[in-house]
């Protein structure tokens, strides 16, 4: 089955840039998306189709996907961005596959 | 505003069955594929099952194949998950999620989520 791997945690200072990676075999050949989940809340889609932002998502969220790695970048990170982030891709055999999740801490 | 409201969760013994429902509003329900996603306590997200707009295409995770069945009633704007032969490891918060693609088929991008319904499998 297809697997996506993320670092367990990322720390960032307010106003700095946070980068979260998501690794999977030939991930660049699939579309990746990213979800933000704050404690006790449902996930929110922040990036889809590698680099598109849904309506209402701030411009500081951006995405890229190439080779075996997709990356979510949060520029000018704010305290409100502290959350768990999950990458996700669609695999023809496995269906929707989520990454292992990354906890972003804004110090 | 799109709203998805799950119901039907609860405490159930291993081997028993449960049926989850998801009521949609604020959306042309039969234009979109729909999905169930679960999250075990303190764990990550796991896709459970998805269904196309007309029920013509369905897919499920290997962990639930042969035990869980997804279905929908477009007239009632409702999504269902029939869960049979439940196991302790099925304990999770089950979310209903709308697919973003306007094709009506599964893209795997979930743009609206419900608040979830808790399923606990324990003797």
């Amino acid at each position: 089955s297809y697997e996506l791997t993320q670092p367990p945690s990322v720390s960032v200072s307010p106003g700095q840039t946070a980068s979260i990676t998501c690794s999977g075999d030939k991930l660049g050949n699939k579309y990746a998306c990213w979800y933000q989940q704050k404690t006790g809340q449902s996930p929110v889609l922040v990036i889809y189709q590698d680099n598109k932002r849904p309506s209402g998502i701030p411009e500081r969220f951006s995405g890229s996907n190439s080779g075996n790695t997709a990356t979510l970048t949060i520029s000018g990170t704010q305290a409100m961005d502290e959350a768990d982030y999950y990458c996700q891709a669609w695999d023809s055999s496995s269906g929707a596959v989520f990454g292992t999740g990354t906890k972003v801490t804004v110090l | 505003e799109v709203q998805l409201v799950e119901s039907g969760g609860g405490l159930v013994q291993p081997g028993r069955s449960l049926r989850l429902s998801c009521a949609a509003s604020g959306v042309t329900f039969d234009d979109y594929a729909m999905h169930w996603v679960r999250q075990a306590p303190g764990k990550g997200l796991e896709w459970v099952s998805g269904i196309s707009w007309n029920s013509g295409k369905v897919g499920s995770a290997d962990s639930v194949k042969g035990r869980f069945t997804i279905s929908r009633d477009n007239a009632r704007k409702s999504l269902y998950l029939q869960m049979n032969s439940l196991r302790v490891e099925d304990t999770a918060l089950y979310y209903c999620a709308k697919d973003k693609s306007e094709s009506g088929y599964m893209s795997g991008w979930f743009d609206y989520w419900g608040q979830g319904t808790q399923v606990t499998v324990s003797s």
Side-chain angles (χ1 to χ4, degrees):
Chain A
S1 62
Y2 195 74
E3 295 181 355
L4 295 173
T5 302
Q6 300 177 231
S9 62
V10 166
S11 296
V12 60
S13 300
Q16 298 304 302
T17 296
S19 294
I20 306 165
T21 57
C22 173
S23 298
D25 185 50
K26 298 183 177 68
L27 179 56
N29 291 346
K30 309 177 190 299
Y31 282 129
C33 65
W34 292 87
Y35 299 90
Q36 175 195 69
Q37 186 179 33
K38 297 183 179 179
T39 302
Q41 297 184 19
S42 302
V44 173
L45 180 68
V46 295
I47 293 289
Y48 69 101
Q49 206 170 330
D50 293 342
N51 54 21
K52 293 181 168 47
R53 277 179 292 105
S55 173
I57 299 302
E59 289 184 12
R60 64 179 181 273
F61 289 91
S62 63
S64 64
N65 184 18
S66 179
N68 294 321
T69 304
T71 303
L72 175 69
T73 302
I74 311 173
S75 304
T77 307
Q78 301 182 8
M80 69 172 65
D81 300 329
E82 192 162 279
D84 293 327
Y85 290 83
Y86 295 90
C87 62
Q88 184 238 306
W90 184 269
D91 179 74
S92 56
S93 301
S94 305
V97 178
F98 287 94
T100 49
T102 298
K103 182 176 183 62
V104 170
T105 302
V106 182
L107 298 170
Chain B
E1 180 192 2
V2 178
Q3 284 200 321
L4 302 172
V5 179
E6 302 93 337
S7 60
L11 174 63
V12 63
Q13 293 179 326
R16 304 299 290 263
S17 299
L18 211 54
R19 189 194 195 209
L20 305 184
S21 299
C22 170
S25 60
V27 61
T28 306
F29 184 72
D30 53 8
D31 276 354
Y32 299 96
M34 297 291 295
H35 302 265
W36 290 99
V37 178
R38 69 184 180 183
Q39 188 168 34
K43 302 296 184 182
L45 301 170
E46 180 188 16
W47 178 74
V48 174
S49 193
I51 186 168
S52 64
W53 71 279
N54 62 353
S55 305
K57 291 209 75 163
V58 298
S60 296
D62 287 345
S63 57
V64 306
K65 264 181 191 156
R67 300 188 300 123
F68 291 10
T69 302
I70 191 171
S71 63
R72 64 190 295 163
D73 184 336
N74 287 342
R76 296 180 185 271
K77 301 182 79 168
S78 292
L79 177 72
Y80 306 102
L81 186 68
Q82 178 66 44
M83 304 187 295
N84 298 333
S85 303
L86 281 160
R87 304 169 180 168
V88 171
E89 54 265 34
D90 295 320
T91 294
L93 185 63
Y94 283 73
Y95 293 103
C96 166
K98 171 189 164 293
D99 198 289
K100 183 172 174 52
S101 173
E102 295 180 353
S103 71
Y105 294 94
M106 292 178 271
S107 70
W109 307 323
F110 312 137
D111 60 348
Y112 288 93
W113 298 63
Q115 289 303 303
T117 186
Q118 179 66 40
V119 172
T120 302
V121 185
S122 173
S123 54

